[in-house]
């Protein structure tokens, strides 16, 4: 007869469910606003569209391609970092017994078996794998955006209100915004993995670190100086497609 789940087991389950709820709520809030305020990400999406509209008036677009190269390099860096983190998780799995022996004297470690400890490592590995796939797709979308930039006709030749020019701008801006949103999702996975580390100590610590990470990210999105700068100067475009 199997033993009934212990209180510690249900506390671990509660902490993990709380982690994903906070993550989902943060993602929803970033996309839809908080207390009537638009997020920093929303404002930057407007700036991305304005960038594409301004780009259509330039005959030589070396500036725009240089920006795209910079965006791709940053995305590639984080993708490579995620791969290294995944490798680190596999290394930790290989030596989980020794690590657990070193940690067993910590006062907040709680009831942790080697099986549970390895399960937590696998969860951390999944987070980094999620981040990697987001960064990799973002990198590819930035590549697609570079091609679309090359296909945007000169607004001076056809006129800024020409439907072909507008459609080309919207396509380039839409892919650029999608790339940025996937990049942000990858970063979100990295940030929340910091909160996830609290689970290695205790489920309650896990919930606290998850909450602290969410508070820091919410502050940056809705109450940061960077957002205030964008709001003060204003962005005229109202284009903001939802990402997936």
């Amino acid at each position: 007869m199997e033993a009934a789940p212990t209180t510690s087991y249900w506390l671990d389950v509660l902490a993990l469910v709380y982690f994903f709820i906070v993550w989902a709520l943060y993602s929803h809030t970033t996309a839809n606003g908080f207390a009537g305020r638009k997020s920093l990400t929303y404002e930057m999406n407007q700036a991305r569209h304005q960038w594409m509209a301004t780009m259509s008036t330039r005959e030589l677009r070396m500036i725009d391609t240089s920006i795209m190269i910079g965006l791709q390099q940053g995305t590639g860096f984080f993708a490579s970092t995620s791969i290294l983190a995944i490798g680190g998780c596999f290394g930790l799995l290989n030596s989980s017994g020794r690590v657990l022996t070193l940690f067993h004297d910590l006062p907040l470690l709680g009831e942790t078996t080697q099986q549970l400890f390895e399960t937590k490592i696998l969860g951390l590995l999944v987070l980094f794998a999620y981040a990697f796939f987001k960064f990799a797709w973002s990198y590819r979308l930035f590549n697609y955006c570079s091609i679309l930039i090359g296909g945007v006709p000169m607004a001076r030749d056809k006129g800024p209100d020409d439907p072909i020019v507008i459609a080309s701008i919207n396509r380039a801006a839409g892919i650029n915004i999608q790339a940025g949103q996937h990049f942000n999702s990858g970063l979100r996975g990295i940030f929340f993995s910091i909160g996830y580390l609290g689970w290695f100590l205790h489920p309650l610590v896990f919930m606290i670190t998850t909450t602290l990470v969410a508070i820091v990210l919410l502050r940056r999105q809705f109450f940061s100086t960077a957002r205030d700068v964008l709001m003060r100067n204003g962005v005229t475009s109202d284009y903001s497609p939802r990402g997936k």
Side-chain angles (χ1 to χ4, degrees):
M1 184 175 180
E2 294 184 359
T6 63
T7 302
S8 176
Y9 169 83
W10 289 115
L11 193 58
D12 281 318
V13 172
L14 176 63
L16 189 60
V17 170
Y18 178 79
F19 173 78
F20 286 112
I21 289 176
V22 171
W23 188 338
L25 286 176
Y26 170 75
S27 299
H28 176 79
T29 302
T30 301
N32 296 279
F34 176 75
R37 299 168 69 92
K38 297 296 184 181
S39 67
L40 175 62
T41 297
Y42 175 90
E43 296 299 331
M44 284 307 302
N45 286 342
Q46 315 312 308
R48 289 175 189 271
H49 187 268
Q50 190 177 60
W51 167 26
M52 293 298 113
T54 303
M55 177 272 302
S56 69
T57 65
R58 284 195 281 263
E59 183 175 358
L60 301 177
R61 297 174 181 175
M62 288 83 75
I63 294 175
D64 309 291
T65 54
S66 296
I67 295 173
M68 291 302 304
I69 290 171
L71 292 173
Q72 284 186 306
Q73 287 177 341
T75 306
F77 168 79
F78 280 105
S80 301
T81 302
S82 299
I83 288 291
L84 292 175
I86 291 171
C89 288
F90 278 115
L92 190 57
L93 273 174
N94 189 47
S95 57
S96 59
R98 284 175 291 174
V99 174
L100 192 57
T101 300
L102 293 173
F103 282 1
H104 81 281
D105 289 331
L106 291 176
L108 293 176
L109 190 59
E111 301 176 18
T112 301
T113 63
Q114 183 170 347
Q115 183 180 13
L116 178 58
F117 189 74
E118 290 176 351
T119 301
K120 294 176 181 180
I121 296 173
L122 286 174
L124 188 62
L125 190 154
V126 169
L127 288 180
F128 289 132
Y130 166 84
F132 168 76
F133 280 108
K134 285 294 183 180
F135 289 133
W137 183 234
S138 175
Y139 187 94
R140 191 166 188 178
L141 288 177
F142 278 130
N143 185 55
Y144 291 160
C145 184
S146 298
I147 296 171
L148 292 174
I149 284 176
V152 175
M154 280 286 294
R156 184 181 62 188
D157 297 334
K158 291 182 173 293
D161 297 326
D162 184 87
I164 297 178
V165 173
I166 293 175
S168 298
I169 290 172
N170 287 340
R171 278 198 301 268
I175 293 297
N176 195 287
I177 289 171
Q178 286 287 310
Q181 287 173 335
H182 283 281
F183 179 80
N184 289 336
S185 294
L187 278 182
R188 199 170 299 155
I190 298 295
F191 288 141
F192 274 94
S193 70
I194 303 301
Y196 184 94
L197 293 177
W199 197 14
F200 288 93
L201 295 177
H202 194 277
L204 293 179
V205 176
F206 182 21
M207 297 171 75
I208 292 172
T209 53
T210 298
T211 303
L212 290 176
V213 168
I215 290 173
V216 170
L217 295 181
L218 282 171
R219 181 191 173 279
R220 290 179 177 178
Q221 283 287 346
F222 295 99
F223 303 99
S224 64
T225 304
R227 179 192 176 276
D228 292 340
V229 169
L230 290 177
M231 293 298 294
R232 280 198 302 268
N233 291 277
V235 179
T236 58
S237 174
D238 60 359
Y239 179 79
S240 182
R242 294 291 176 83
K244 295 183 180 180

